[in-house]
């Protein structure tokens, strides 16, 4: 998922923390095992993605683990900027597999959002010293959906096992959309819609970013 503004969530004393060099992993007691798994690879993923995106956030990144949801996914949110992971994998296997690799793939995707969208580029570079690091969200309206999700979909494919670019169902939708001009275009890939193809910002984004990097 993309960007979800949220209020502070930690009134409950049942949350615990694990601190790594670059992250503060916040989790419900029930999910200590999953938190330890994320902690085991979080810093390595951070260093890889920071190098790939040419930006290294200076603050320790909050990563929230929870299973209190009926829909498995994760998201990057602002005020304060953080990453949230739902620890139950999705039955459709749209991202990763039903194993610990689900958490790895999901973490790569959402951490890419964090590093990409907190980068001090454009107007945010001038306003950040005045208004604080969260002002980088002002860059979002100037980015098409395919650019935001294309980078994450590319990274989850190339830096994690089982990303969408390795998913045959995802690729088959991509191929059929390319061959039907009425279904797919760069303009349509700029925003989400209930119209087909499903997840077109991911489809368009992966196609474009993979092409840009490859060429």
């Amino acid at each position: 998922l993309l960007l979800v503004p949220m209020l502070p969530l930690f009134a409950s004393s049942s949350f615990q923390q694990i601190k790594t060099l670059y992250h503060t992993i916040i989790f419900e007691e029930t999910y200590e095992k999953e938190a330890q798994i994320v902690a085991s690879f979080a810093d390595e993923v951070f260093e890889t993605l920071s190098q790939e995106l040419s930006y290294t956030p200076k603050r320790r990144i909050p990563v929230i683990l929870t299973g209190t949801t009926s829909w498995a996914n994760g998201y990057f949110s602002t005020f304060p900027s953080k990453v949230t992971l739902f620890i139950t994998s999705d039955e459709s296997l749209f991202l990763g597999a039903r194993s610990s690799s689900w958490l790895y793939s999901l973490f790569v995707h959402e951490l890419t959002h964090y590093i990409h969208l907190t980068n001090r580029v454009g107007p945010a570079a001038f306003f950040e010293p005045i208004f604080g690091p969260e002002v980088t969200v002002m860059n979002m309206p100037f980015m098409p959906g395919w650019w935001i999700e294309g980078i994450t979909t590319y990274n989850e494919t190339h830096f994690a096992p089982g990303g969408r670019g390795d998913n045959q169902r995802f690729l088959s939708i991509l191929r059929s959309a390319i061959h039907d001009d009425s279904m797919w275009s760069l303009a349509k890939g700029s925003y989400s819609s209930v119209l087909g193809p499903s997840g077109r910002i991911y489809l368009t984004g992966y196609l474009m970013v993979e092409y840009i990097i490859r060429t």
Side-chain angles (χ1 to χ4, degrees), residues 171-185 188 197 203 207:
L171 293 177
S172 66
I173 296 173
L174 179 60
R175 294 188 190 100
S176 64
I178 291 173
H179 286 91
D180 187 342
D181 292 339
S182 64
M183 290 179 63
W184 183 87
S185 71
K188 291 180 180 178
L203 292 162
L207 180 68

Side-chain angles (χ1 to χ4, degrees), residues 1 5 26 30 70 73 78 85 98 127 162 164 181 185 213:
L1 284 180
I26 303 163
T30 307
S70 59
N73 210 312
T78 58
L85 309 177
R98 293 184 63 82
F127 290 110
R164 264 170 284 205
D181 292 339
S185 71
I213 292 175

Side-chain angles (χ1 to χ4, degrees), residues 121-173:
V121 296
F126 299 98
F127 290 110
E128 193 267 350
I130 303 171
F131 297 104
E134 314 304 337
V135 78
T136 53
V137 72
M138 69 180 295
N139 290 326
M140 289 278 299
F142 303 102
M143 299 181 186
W146 69 261
W147 175 243
I148 295 171
E149 294 297 352
I151 294 174
T152 56
T153 307
Y154 177 88
N155 280 356
E156 81 187 33
T157 300
H158 288 266
F159 298 110
R164 264 170 284 205
D166 295 329
N167 185 305
Q168 290 304 310
R169 178 176 177 273
F170 178 85
L171 293 177
S172 66
I173 296 173

Side-chain angles (χ1 to χ4, degrees), residues 10-52:
F10 307 120
S12 171
S13 60
S14 64
F15 282 91
Q16 299 182 1
Q17 295 185 7
I18 296 175
K19 290 191 176 183
T20 70
L21 184 60
Y22 303 115
H23 304 88
T24 300
I25 300 170
I26 303 163
F27 57 95
E28 299 171 68
E29 292 180 67
T30 307
Y31 305 123
E32 182 176 359
K33 177 182 176 181
E34 288 80 4
Q36 294 287 354
I37 292 173
V38 173
S40 70
F41 56 65
D43 285 353
E44 181 181 355
V45 172
F46 175 91
E47 291 175 352
T48 298
L49 296 182
S50 294
Q51 182 176 4
E52 176 72 8

Side-chain angles (χ1 to χ4, degrees), residues 48-118:
T48 298
L49 296 182
S50 294
Q51 182 176 4
E52 176 72 8
L53 297 170
S54 301
Y55 175 65
T56 302
K58 300 300 186 289
R59 299 186 300 171
R60 189 178 274 119
I61 299 172
V63 180
I64 303 154
L65 269 64
T66 181
T68 312
T69 177
S70 59
W71 186 57
N73 210 312
Y75 53 85
F76 161 74
S77 56
T78 58
F79 305 109
S81 296
K82 57 187 173 294
V83 166
T84 298
L85 309 177
F86 298 132
I87 59 93
T88 304
S89 67
D90 184 80
E91 291 182 355
S92 68
L93 306 183
F94 83 97
L95 175 63
R98 293 184 63 82
S99 66
S100 60
S101 64
W102 157 259
L103 281 175
Y104 192 95
S105 296
L106 186 63
F107 183 73
V108 168
H109 183 104
E110 301 304 340
L111 187 62
T112 297
H113 273 318
Y114 187 104
I115 296 173
H116 178 207
L117 298 175
T118 59

